Amino acid sequence: MISFREALGFWLKLGFISFGGPAGQIAIMHRVLVDEKKWIEESRFLHALNFCVLLPGPEAQKLATYAGWLLHGTRGGLAAGILFVLPGALVMLGLSILYALGRGIPAVEGALFDIKAAVLVIVVEALIRIGKRALKTRFLIGIAGAAFIGIFFLAVPFPLIVLAAGIAGFFTTVAGGPVAAAPAPGRWRHAAAAAASGLALWWAPVLAAALVLGSSHVLVDIGLFFSKLAVVSFGGAYALLAYMAQQAVESYHWMSAPEMVDGLGLAETTPGPLILVTQFVGFLAAYRDAAPFAPLAAGVLGAALTTWVTFVPPMTLIFALAPFVEQLRANRRLSGALAAITAAVVGVILNLTVWFALHVLFGSVTEARAGPLRWYAFDPLALDLKVGALAALAAVLAFGLHRGLVELVLVMAALGVALRFVLPG
């Protein structure tokens, strides 16, 4: 028997050391849970990982929640899922406050300037890594290409792209697969109770904001937007960033494109899921439209609400669907749908890469339209040579010297601070 107290200590420690994105976080859990402590068998761990990949939300946080549920039921899943997010969320909140209050300070401005170059390289690296893993057939390459064209040139909403890719993968995959295990007893009752509890917790703060502040208040907009984002968050944070960035910048006007890049750079330096960048967006949105609160108080409320509606839905899915995990695992068509969604994510990340590159490297980028077509117009002569040189340096660190993401961001930030004081102009 594994004591709850011992497991709680591990989940708390994991929340503080979970750097390196989902791959690094999953590797830490595998080493401790499977190899060192032997709390979970290898086959069961991989089984849980496959299940978590099928669902929207950050893979590593879902896996921690599921592992905690396997060990100690509902209280174990809650402890693991919450502690996986909480340390990083508190750090991200502190960085968001520093960002809002530190604008105009040379050291802060210099760090943020060089972080933009690092973020561009990080996104390119994610595109290459995920593309190599996901695009194994011509069909999947076609899905990725169609997703890029749809979101970049036709402005097709990200949720619709995910849905279309999943349907295409589901119906083009031959049914069959291994025989499913015996159903867990009482699974429907468990699922209903978990879903009802999760839905009530998920929507309670959004409804409270609407009743107290009115349906048009920014906190209600934050709650609704990030709730929608949470249920279509297949493929990890990089896939969501394109959709989130364009909505936050172009539709809601909560922030500028360079600020969105800054947020991703800050999120790369914190423990926990990269999707915590949503908290940065929620903080700035509420900070800049604060009434009837003080700006800082509104920002904290916006960050807290964003984090709540981002992570409660995937945890609810884990608790509701855990008893069905064997049946989900045995369905080959669901695996086909997941493969197609992952391929579409590659196209979406390519869109994010191009969108970031244009806004980071060129001074002025405007959206242009002709009928159903949409593209981004820019002046090639407006290329920022300083940013281009910094991006090249970041590329050497990432691809040539194989430095980690956190180290890359910190090195570039330190370089930016030094350059700002040496060359203040």
Side-chain angles (χ1 to χ4, degrees):
M1 293 295 294
I2 303 150
S3 73
F4 180 69
R5 182 175 181 178
E6 184 181 3
L8 194 66
F10 168 69
W11 298 125
L12 179 60
K13 178 182 177 182
L14 180 65
F16 283 98
I17 65 172
S18 55
F19 292 94
Q25 293 155 0
I26 291 169
I28 292 172
M29 282 188 276
H30 182 272
R31 185 177 71 245
V32 176
L33 296 175
V34 178
D35 296 335
E36 295 179 5
K37 296 186 179 294
K38 303 187 186 303
W39 287 350
I40 299 176
E41 298 174 355
E42 172 83 18
S43 60
R44 206 171 190 188
F45 182 90
L46 296 177
H47 183 178
L49 178 58
N50 290 337
F51 166 58
C52 293
V53 169
L54 284 169
L55 303 177
E59 293 95 334
Q61 192 247 358
K62 288 180 294 184
L63 181 60
T65 303
Y66 186 70
W69 179 83
L70 284 176
L71 295 175
H72 295 104
T74 300
R75 65 169 182 166
L78 287 172
I82 292 171
L83 291 177
F84 187 84
V85 173
L86 187 59
L90 293 175
V91 173
M92 193 66 197
L93 178 59
L95 291 174
S96 300
I97 294 172
L98 177 64
Y99 183 91
L101 301 180
R103 305 306 298 271
I105 299 175
V108 175
E109 295 289 344
L112 293 173
F113 181 78
D114 276 22
I115 281 177
K116 289 181 175 64
V119 168
L120 179 58
V121 172
I122 288 169
V123 175
V124 171
E125 189 176 38
L127 173 67
I128 295 172
R129 183 178 66 251
I130 297 173
K132 286 180 177 179
R133 187 177 70 240
L135 305 183
K136 297 179 180 179
T137 66
R138 291 183 179 180
F139 172 73
L140 295 177
I141 294 174
I143 290 286
F148 173 73
I149 292 171
I151 196 169
F152 190 83
F153 291 107
L154 301 176
V156 177
F158 174 67
L160 186 58
I161 289 175
V162 169
L163 178 63
I167 292 173
F170 184 88
F171 286 105
T172 55
T173 302
V174 178
V179 177
R187 66 195 190 282
W188 289 106
R189 184 176 64 254
H190 174 96
S197 302
L199 285 171
L201 289 169
W202 174 7
W203 287 106
V206 183
L207 292 174
L211 290 173
V212 175
L213 302 170
S215 60
S216 61
H217 194 271
V218 65
L219 288 178
V220 179
D221 289 338
I222 288 171
L224 293 175
F225 174 68
F226 288 106
S227 292
K228 179 174 66 175
L229 203 69
V231 298
V232 297
S233 55
F234 296 93
Y238 288 109
L240 280 185
L241 280 170
Y243 175 62
M244 180 181 69
Q246 289 170 343
Q247 291 293 309
V249 172
E250 298 166 8
S251 298
Y252 290 96
H253 306 291
W254 287 336
M255 61 202 314
S256 67
E259 287 173 332
M260 186 70 243
V261 181
D262 291 339
L264 178 58
L266 295 177
E268 292 283 3
T269 66
T270 63
L274 180 60
I275 198 64
L276 281 170
V277 68
T278 58
Q279 187 188 81
F280 175 82
V281 178
F283 177 90
L284 285 187
Y287 181 87
R288 290 168 174 171
D289 189 9
F293 306 101
L296 194 58
V300 172
L301 288 173
L305 181 59
T306 301
T307 304
W308 183 265
V309 300
T310 296
F311 291 102
V312 170
M315 290 182 68
T316 298
L317 286 173
I318 291 294
F319 289 123
L321 297 179
F324 299 88
V325 62
E326 293 293 340
Q327 285 70 39
L328 288 172
R329 183 191 180 199
N331 192 311
R332 186 178 291 172
R333 279 187 162 173
L334 278 179
S335 298
L338 174 65
I341 289 172
T342 306
V345 162
V346 176
V348 173
I349 296 176
L350 176 59
N351 163 68
L352 171 71
T353 305
V354 176
W355 191 84
F356 267 3
L358 292 176
H359 285 85
V360 169
L361 296 176
F362 297 93
S364 177
V365 180
T366 57
E367 182 178 315
R369 289 182 178 270
L373 293 178
R374 186 273 306 273
W375 67 93
Y376 296 96
F378 62 95
D379 181 6
L381 299 179
L383 174 66
D384 191 324
L385 296 178
K386 185 184 294 185
V387 176
L390 291 171
L393 175 60
V396 171
L397 291 173
F399 298 111
L401 301 179
H402 304 290
R403 312 316 301 174
L405 299 184
V406 176
E407 183 180 354
L408 174 63
V409 171
L410 293 178
V411 167
M412 296 303 293
L415 178 62
V417 173
L419 289 177
R420 182 55 59 102
F421 284 104
V422 173
L423 302 171

Coordinates of all heavy atoms in Angstrom, one line a residue, residues 180-220:
A180 N -11.8 -5.6 -26.0 CA -11.9 -4.7 -24.9 C -12.0 -5.5 -23.6 O -12.5 -6.6 -23.5 CB -13.1 -3.8 -25.0
A181 N -11.4 -5.0 -22.5 CA -11.5 -5.6 -21.2 C -12.9 -5.5 -20.7 O -13.8 -4.8 -21.2 CB -10.6 -4.9 -20.2
A182 N -13.2 -6.3 -19.6 CA -14.6 -6.2 -19.0 C -14.9 -4.9 -18.5 O -14.0 -4.2 -17.9 CB -14.6 -7.3 -17.9
P183 N -16.1 -4.4 -18.7 CA -16.4 -3.0 -18.2 C -16.3 -2.9 -16.7 O -16.6 -3.9 -16.0 CB -17.9 -2.8 -18.7 CG -18.2 -4.0 -19.5 CD -17.2 -5.0 -19.4
A184 N -15.9 -1.8 -16.2 CA -15.8 -1.5 -14.8 C -17.2 -1.4 -14.2 O -18.1 -0.8 -14.8 CB -15.0 -0.3 -14.5
P185 N -17.5 -2.1 -13.1 CA -18.8 -2.0 -12.5 C -19.2 -0.6 -12.0 O -18.3 0.1 -11.5 CB -18.7 -3.0 -11.3 CG -17.3 -3.1 -11.0 CD -16.6 -2.9 -12.3
G186 N -20.4 -0.2 -12.2 CA -20.9 1.1 -11.8 C -20.3 2.3 -12.5 O -20.3 3.4 -12.1
R187 N -19.7 2.0 -13.7 CA -19.0 3.0 -14.4 C -19.9 4.2 -14.9 O -19.5 5.4 -14.9 CB -18.3 2.5 -15.6 CG -19.1 1.9 -16.7 CD -18.3 1.0 -17.7 NE -19.1 0.7 -18.9 CZ -20.0 -0.3 -18.9 NH1 -20.3 -0.9 -17.8 NH2 -20.7 -0.6 -20.0
W188 N -21.2 3.9 -15.2 CA -22.1 5.0 -15.7 C -22.4 5.9 -14.5 O -22.5 7.1 -14.7 CB -23.3 4.4 -16.3 CG -23.0 3.7 -17.7 CD1 -23.0 2.4 -17.9 CD2 -22.8 4.4 -18.9 NE1 -22.7 2.2 -19.3 CE2 -22.5 3.4 -19.9 CE3 -22.7 5.8 -19.2 CZ2 -22.3 3.8 -21.2 CZ3 -22.4 6.1 -20.5 CH2 -22.2 5.1 -21.5
R189 N -22.7 5.3 -13.4 CA -23.0 6.1 -12.2 C -21.8 7.0 -11.8 O -22.0 8.2 -11.5 CB -23.4 5.2 -11.0 CG -23.8 5.9 -9.8 CD -24.3 5.0 -8.7 NE -23.2 4.1 -8.2 CZ -23.1 2.8 -8.5 NH1 -24.0 2.3 -9.2 NH2 -22.1 2.1 -8.0
H190 N -20.6 6.4 -11.8 CA -19.4 7.2 -11.5 C -19.2 8.3 -12.5 O -18.9 9.5 -12.1 CB -18.2 6.2 -11.6 CG -16.9 6.9 -11.4 ND1 -16.2 7.0 -10.2 CD2 -16.1 7.6 -12.3 CE1 -15.1 7.7 -10.3 NE2 -15.0 8.1 -11.6
A191 N -19.4 8.0 -13.8 CA -19.2 9.0 -14.8 C -20.2 10.2 -14.7 O -19.9 11.4 -14.8 CB -19.3 8.4 -16.2
A192 N -21.5 9.8 -14.4 CA -22.5 10.8 -14.2 C -22.2 11.8 -13.0 O -22.3 13.0 -13.1 CB -23.9 10.2 -14.1
A193 N -21.8 11.2 -11.9 CA -21.5 12.0 -10.7 C -20.3 12.9 -11.0 O -20.3 14.1 -10.6 CB -21.2 11.0 -9.6
A194 N -19.3 12.3 -11.6 CA -18.1 13.1 -11.9 C -18.4 14.3 -12.9 O -17.9 15.4 -12.7 CB -17.0 12.3 -12.5
A195 N -19.2 14.0 -13.9 CA -19.5 15.0 -14.9 C -20.3 16.1 -14.3 O -20.1 17.3 -14.5 CB -20.2 14.3 -16.1
A196 N -21.3 15.7 -13.5 CA -22.2 16.7 -12.9 C -21.4 17.6 -11.9 O -21.6 18.9 -11.9 CB -23.3 16.0 -12.1
S197 N -20.6 17.0 -11.1 CA -19.7 17.8 -10.2 C -18.8 18.7 -10.9 O -18.6 19.9 -10.6 CB -19.0 16.9 -9.2 OG -19.8 16.0 -8.5
G198 N -18.1 18.2 -11.9 CA -17.2 19.0 -12.7 C -17.8 20.1 -13.4 O -17.3 21.2 -13.4
L199 N -19.0 19.9 -14.0 CA -19.7 20.9 -14.7 C -20.1 22.1 -13.8 O -20.0 23.3 -14.1 CB -20.9 20.4 -15.5 CG -20.6 19.6 -16.8 CD1 -21.8 18.9 -17.3 CD2 -20.0 20.5 -17.8
A200 N -20.6 21.7 -12.6 CA -21.0 22.7 -11.6 C -19.8 23.5 -11.2 O -19.9 24.8 -11.1 CB -21.7 22.0 -10.4
L201 N -18.7 22.9 -10.9 CA -17.5 23.6 -10.5 C -16.9 24.5 -11.6 O -16.5 25.6 -11.4 CB -16.4 22.6 -10.0 CG -16.7 21.9 -8.7 CD1 -15.7 20.8 -8.5 CD2 -16.6 22.9 -7.5
W202 N -17.0 24.0 -12.8 CA -16.4 24.7 -14.0 C -17.2 26.0 -14.2 O -16.6 27.0 -14.3 CB -16.6 23.7 -15.2 CG -16.2 24.3 -16.5 CD1 -15.7 25.5 -16.8 CD2 -16.4 23.6 -17.8 NE1 -15.5 25.6 -18.2 CE2 -15.9 24.5 -18.8 CE3 -16.9 22.3 -18.1 CZ2 -15.9 24.1 -20.1 CZ3 -16.9 22.0 -19.5 CH2 -16.4 22.9 -20.4
W203 N -18.5 25.9 -14.2 CA -19.3 27.1 -14.6 C -19.7 28.0 -13.5 O -20.1 29.2 -13.7 CB -20.5 26.7 -15.4 CG -20.2 26.1 -16.7 CD1 -20.2 24.8 -17.1 CD2 -19.8 26.9 -17.9 NE1 -19.8 24.7 -18.5 CE2 -19.5 26.0 -18.9 CE3 -19.6 28.3 -18.1 CZ2 -19.1 26.4 -20.2 CZ3 -19.1 28.7 -19.3 CH2 -18.9 27.8 -20.4
A204 N -19.5 27.6 -12.2 CA -19.9 28.4 -11.1 C -19.3 29.8 -11.1 O -20.0 30.8 -11.0 CB -19.6 27.7 -9.8
P205 N -18.0 30.0 -11.2 CA -17.4 31.3 -11.2 C -17.8 32.2 -12.4 O -17.9 33.4 -12.3 CB -15.9 31.1 -11.2 CG -15.7 29.7 -11.7 CD -16.9 28.9 -11.3
V206 N -18.0 31.5 -13.6 CA -18.4 32.3 -14.8 C -19.8 32.8 -14.6 O -20.1 34.0 -14.9 CB -18.3 31.4 -16.0 CG1 -18.7 32.2 -17.3 CG2 -17.0 30.8 -16.2
L207 N -20.7 32.0 -14.1 CA -22.1 32.4 -13.8 C -22.1 33.5 -12.7 O -22.9 34.5 -12.8 CB -22.9 31.2 -13.4 CG -23.2 30.2 -14.5 CD1 -24.0 29.0 -13.9 CD2 -24.0 30.8 -15.7
A208 N -21.3 33.3 -11.7 CA -21.2 34.3 -10.6 C -20.8 35.7 -11.2 O -21.3 36.7 -10.9 CB -20.3 33.9 -9.5
A209 N -19.8 35.7 -12.1 CA -19.3 36.9 -12.7 C -20.4 37.6 -13.5 O -20.6 38.8 -13.5 CB -18.1 36.7 -13.5
A210 N -21.2 36.7 -14.3 CA -22.2 37.3 -15.1 C -23.3 37.9 -14.3 O -23.9 39.0 -14.6 CB -22.8 36.2 -16.0
L211 N -23.7 37.2 -13.2 CA -24.8 37.7 -12.3 C -24.4 39.0 -11.6 O -25.2 40.0 -11.4 CB -25.2 36.7 -11.3 CG -25.9 35.4 -11.9 CD1 -26.1 34.4 -10.8 CD2 -27.2 35.8 -12.5
V212 N -23.1 39.1 -11.1 CA -22.7 40.2 -10.3 C -22.3 41.4 -11.2 O -22.5 42.6 -10.9 CB -21.5 39.8 -9.4 CG1 -21.0 41.0 -8.6 CG2 -22.0 38.8 -8.4
L213 N -21.6 41.1 -12.3 CA -20.9 42.2 -13.1 C -21.6 42.4 -14.4 O -21.3 43.4 -15.1 CB -19.5 41.8 -13.4 CG -18.6 41.6 -12.1 CD1 -17.3 41.0 -12.5 CD2 -18.4 42.9 -11.3
G214 N -22.5 41.6 -14.8 CA -23.2 41.7 -16.1 C -22.5 40.9 -17.2 O -21.3 40.6 -17.1
S215 N -23.4 40.5 -18.1 CA -22.9 39.5 -19.2 C -21.9 40.1 -20.1 O -21.2 39.3 -20.8 CB -24.1 39.0 -20.0 OG -24.7 40.1 -20.6
S216 N -21.7 41.4 -20.2 CA -20.7 42.0 -21.1 C -19.4 42.3 -20.4 O -18.5 42.9 -21.1 CB -21.3 43.3 -21.7 OG -21.6 44.2 -20.6
H217 N -19.2 42.0 -19.1 CA -18.0 42.3 -18.4 C -16.9 41.4 -19.0 O -17.1 40.3 -19.4 CB -18.2 42.0 -16.9 CG -17.1 42.6 -16.1 ND1 -15.9 42.0 -15.8 CD2 -17.0 43.8 -15.5 CE1 -15.1 42.7 -15.1 NE2 -15.7 43.9 -14.9
V218 N -15.6 41.9 -18.9 CA -14.5 41.2 -19.4 C -14.2 39.9 -18.7 O -13.8 38.9 -19.4 CB -13.2 42.1 -19.3 CG1 -12.8 42.4 -17.9 CG2 -12.0 41.5 -20.1
L219 N -14.6 39.8 -17.5 CA -14.4 38.5 -16.8 C -15.3 37.4 -17.3 O -14.9 36.2 -17.4 CB -14.6 38.6 -15.3 CG -13.5 39.4 -14.5 CD1 -13.9 39.5 -13.0 CD2 -12.2 38.7 -14.6
V220 N -16.5 37.8 -17.8 CA -17.4 36.8 -18.4 C -16.9 36.4 -19.8 O -16.9 35.3 -20.1 CB -18.8 37.4 -18.5 CG1 -19.8 36.5 -19.2 CG2 -19.4 37.8 -17.1

